[in-house]
Amino acid sequence: MTQHQRLLIIDFGSQVTQLIARRLRELNVYCEIHPFNAVTDQALRDMAPQAVILSGGPASVTTQGSPRAPQAVFELGVPVFGICYGQQVMMEQLGGQVEAGHHAEYGRAYITPAPGHKTDGIFAGLFGTGREEVWMSHGDRVTSLAPGFEVIGTSPNAPIAMIADETRHFYGVQFHPEVHHTANGRTMLENFVRLAGFTGDWTMASYKDEAIRKIRETVGDRKVICGLSGGVDSSVAAVLIHEAIGDQLTCVFVDHGLLRLNEGTEVVKMFRDNYNIPLIHADEAELFLGSLEGVSDPEVKRKTIGRLFIDVFQKYASEIDGAEFLAQGTLYPDVIESVSFSGGPSVTIKSHHNVGGLPEKMGLKLVEPLRELFKDEVRELGRELGLPASFIGRHPFPGPGLAIRCPGEITREKLEILRKADAVFIDQIRRHGLYDEIWQAFVAILPVRTVGVMGDGRTYDFACALRAVTSVDGMTADYYPFTHEFLGETATRIINEVRGINRCTYDITSKPPGTIEWE
Ligand code: XMP
């Protein structure tokens, strides 16, 4: 989307670099994150950003071979804002000094104004209460300023915590303005982009129009296949592409028999009936459930489902004559190359189910119209496209479906019980008006039978666990604090309404150390 004014974020590997992009998008500024080692001076000039932000990072500028910004950043004549490591690297490259270790600050800190400071430029409007509450995370600190800079603010362990060169519009801070704990972080970022001349031209309506134009340009009169999961991302991608190229799009919905109650028919109804999108409903429950018989290892379940999914998708897709493109709902967080300092591959906790490798295998080119968006922006685009609010706000549902909510061996009997219990739980959450407060909620059926008493008889049925979490991105999560009344009422309803369950527990594990799903 090149005609937008754009800001470049050079990433030095901070855990929170993506938050800088989030905050800027909230200000309607289009930005891209590029790793420090992937931006050459020439690429930078070609990109012609209207401003540059240097992110934080885990390295020390005092270590030999540590990351540097392309020198051209400082020669473009545009405003530059260095954050944490970004401030230190800017000082180091422009003639200042940084000292390693000894004076670390982590967490909350307070910045007081430096004597004779001027709070204008990006620091305009600060220090109203005499000091600024900020979030720090640094070991090194700047000890000597580069020529042209002055100190605006200091903290107990970082005498040079806020700096400015108003002539060149270069700024730096030792703390993280992008995190919520920095009270006026947003003000600083907003001041910075206004000062750099951004008008806030990044809106979802303009994104939609441009995305449609781009899809038409790329696809021409050729055909596109889209794998629909019923989740928000693939649904928004499908509706957007359909708006661009109409019936040149065919969607394939693989029903693996591991969906929630009525989910298959709802998805088909929505796309076929409401949107008139050509849709193949691949009902392959028998194949998937048959192959999962006797399988209880979580990784084997996931791999089996992933492999079959690709086979099935390929089979149905090959029936569509002349398809040349595969559409995917890839999001920006999946695209950003994160900078790895450890060098080694990270540990696989769970092999997530995706269709990686499919395009090459089938000789298809990719269309990924959501590649530049964050999850909440996808929801906004969905609203722009007129998708029903109830659909857009749906909780995430994992690719392997109920298979990973059924620890141990999967049987049709257990799946049926699980579907009913899950539907009651979600109904309870909706009735109590809690659905939108919860990030994800579901029931897991446990591989144990327990003894109970109902009426005058003994029961020997399955136990289940309710799971409901709050989260921002699924990476970390906490259990939802239901009231005891709610939990009691829900357990009573599940046990009364679902035959096959006679005991109900609530999972109060956070992530980490737990994960959201049980497998
Ligand atoms: P965990 O269990 O890893 O889940 O804490 C984090 C989020 O990811 C979802 N999840 C998956 N989504 N394919 C998906 O598309 C998968 O294989 C998969 N496994 C977990 C999970 O539902 C939660 O939202």
Side-chain angles (χ1 to χ4, degrees):
M1 307 289 147
T2 43
Q3 59 269 58
H4 286 289
Q5 297 177 306
R6 70 164 115 180
L7 186 150
L8 169 66
I9 298 168
I10 295 187
D11 183 20
F12 291 104
S14 158
Q15 299 286 320
V16 288
T17 302
Q18 282 200 27
L19 285 182
I20 307 175
R22 278 304 305 129
R23 298 284 98 80
L24 294 171
R25 297 279 183 93
E26 282 162 19
L27 296 165
N28 295 332
V29 168
Y30 178 74
C31 60
E32 288 178 15
I33 301 176
H34 291 268
F36 73 90
N37 53 3
V39 191
T40 60
D41 282 358
Q42 190 52 47
L44 187 69
R45 293 201 168 90
D46 294 345
M47 224 181 271
Q50 197 159 316
V52 178
I53 290 182
L54 307 173
S55 87
S60 168
V61 294
T62 61
T63 308
Q64 200 161 14
S66 57
R68 292 289 178 270
Q71 199 64 28
V73 163
F74 308 108
E75 294 157 8
L76 289 173
V78 301
V80 180
F81 186 10
I83 293 173
C84 196
Y85 185 85
Q87 180 199 32
Q88 293 167 4
V89 97
M90 181 158 73
M91 287 300 95
E92 176 75 20
Q93 288 184 244
L94 296 178
Q97 266 179 356
V98 176
E99 187 187 90
H102 317 312
H103 297 282
E105 271 175 312
Y106 295 99
R108 184 173 294 110
Y110 293 93
I111 309 283
T112 47
H117 74 285
K118 287 197 296 291
T119 44
D120 45 16
I122 77 165
F123 303 119
L126 301 190
F127 297 119
T129 57
R131 60 180 194 172
E132 283 298 323
E133 183 177 330
V134 301
W135 199 255
M136 289 281 196
S137 178
H138 70 104
D140 298 358
R141 65 182 189 177
V142 177
T143 49
S144 148
L145 285 176
F149 283 85
E150 60 174 329
V151 182
I152 308 294
T154 67
S155 80
N157 274 332
I160 301 182
M162 254 184 187
I163 57 172
D165 173 345
E166 290 293 354
T167 314
R168 288 181 288 181
H169 288 148
F170 289 174
Y171 302 93
V173 293
Q174 186 53 66
F175 51 86
H176 287 272
E178 67 275 32
V179 307
H180 277 298
H181 302 86
T182 295
N184 277 316
R186 185 187 156 102
T187 307
M188 288 174 231
L189 289 167
E190 187 164 9
N191 286 340
F192 179 67
V193 297
R194 296 295 166 249
L195 180 144
F198 285 90
T199 54
D201 63 355
W202 165 262
T203 64
M204 211 29 89
S206 68
Y207 181 86
K208 185 188 98 180
D209 295 343
E210 280 167 41
I212 288 177
R213 187 182 49 72
K214 218 169 137 186
I215 294 165
R216 287 189 183 136
E217 231 171 69
T218 313
V219 173
D221 56 6
R222 291 168 288 176
K223 286 187 185 165
V224 180
I225 312 169
C226 179
L228 262 189
S229 67
V232 177
D233 304 342
S234 65
S235 303
V236 170
V239 174
L240 179 71
I241 295 171
H242 188 248
E243 194 147 323
I245 58 166
D247 287 358
Q248 285 161 253
L249 170 75
T250 304
C251 291
V252 178
F253 172 51
V254 177
D255 187 340
H256 47 26
L258 297 158
L259 297 170
R260 287 167 292 192
L261 195 69
N262 303 330
E263 190 164 16
T265 40
E266 278 168 19
V267 170
V268 172
K269 189 168 166 43
M270 157 129 164
F271 286 93
R272 220 182 249 162
D273 302 352
N274 294 1
Y275 281 94
N276 217 7
I277 298 181
L279 174 72
I280 298 173
H281 181 185
D283 184 356
E284 294 285 356
E286 290 307 313
L287 173 71
F288 282 83
L289 298 183
S291 305
L292 287 168
E293 245 166 59
V295 176
S296 54
D297 180 88
E299 276 302 287
V300 178
K301 282 184 192 172
R302 285 171 172 276
K303 295 228 161 79
T304 306
I305 296 168
R307 180 174 47 76
L308 287 177
F309 185 91
I310 291 184
D311 290 350
V312 166
F313 189 85
Q314 209 169 354
K315 182 177 96 186
Y316 285 87
S318 64
E319 290 167 12
I320 305 163
D321 248 2
E324 286 185 38
F325 294 90
L326 176 73
Q328 283 186 349
T330 317
L331 305 189
Y332 195 47
D334 309 324
V335 173
I336 303 169
E337 278 177 67
S338 51
V339 186
S340 162
F341 283 85
S342 63
S346 56
V347 181
T348 302
I349 307 290
K350 300 176 182 185
S351 24
H352 274 213
H353 165 68
N354 58 39
V355 287
L358 192 58
E360 297 82 17
K361 215 172 156 193
M362 296 176 63
L364 294 170
K365 293 184 268 280
L366 276 178
V367 189
E368 296 176 306
L370 312 181
R371 272 178 78 85
E372 293 165 9
L373 303 183
F374 287 93
K375 185 90 182 175
D376 48 344
E377 291 175 320
V378 172
R379 295 206 162 103
E380 206 182 320
L381 177 59
R383 281 190 282 275
E384 195 69 46
L385 287 161
L387 277 149
S390 58
F391 193 81
I392 289 171
R394 268 167 42 142
H395 291 168
F397 186 64
L402 301 182
I404 56 174
R405 295 177 178 176
C406 194
E409 203 180 322
I410 302 163
T411 64
R412 283 160 220 262
E413 181 206 5
K414 281 194 206 166
L415 285 176
E416 199 171 317
I417 296 171
L418 175 56
R419 277 194 189 98
K420 288 182 184 153
D422 190 74
V424 173
F425 184 36
I426 299 298
D427 181 57
Q428 273 290 100
I429 288 174
R430 284 194 193 281
R431 280 192 197 184
H432 286 257
L434 302 175
Y435 191 83
D436 294 337
E437 267 179 51
I438 292 170
W439 199 75
Q440 193 171 14
F442 58 87
V443 174
I445 183 163
L446 306 185
V448 278
R449 286 179 190 265
T450 70
V451 174
V453 51
M454 279 178 100
D456 287 330
R458 174 187 192 270
T459 58
Y460 187 55
D461 288 331
F462 286 109
C464 74
L466 313 181
R467 180 88 165 130
V469 295
T470 53
S471 177
V472 175
D473 49 17
M475 302 295 288
T476 56
D478 205 355
Y479 74 89
Y480 186 80
F482 288 121
T483 61
H484 285 280
E485 290 72 24
F486 175 91
L487 289 170
E489 188 184 302
T490 306
T492 305
R493 272 195 65 190
I494 290 178
I495 293 163
N496 283 348
E497 294 174 31
V498 183
R499 269 191 72 183
I501 289 191
N502 69 354
R503 195 171 294 262
C504 217
T505 64
Y506 185 42
D507 177 357
I508 53 167
T509 320
S510 61
K511 171 183 179 175
T515 54
I516 296 176
E517 303 288 348
W518 272 52
E519 288 191 333

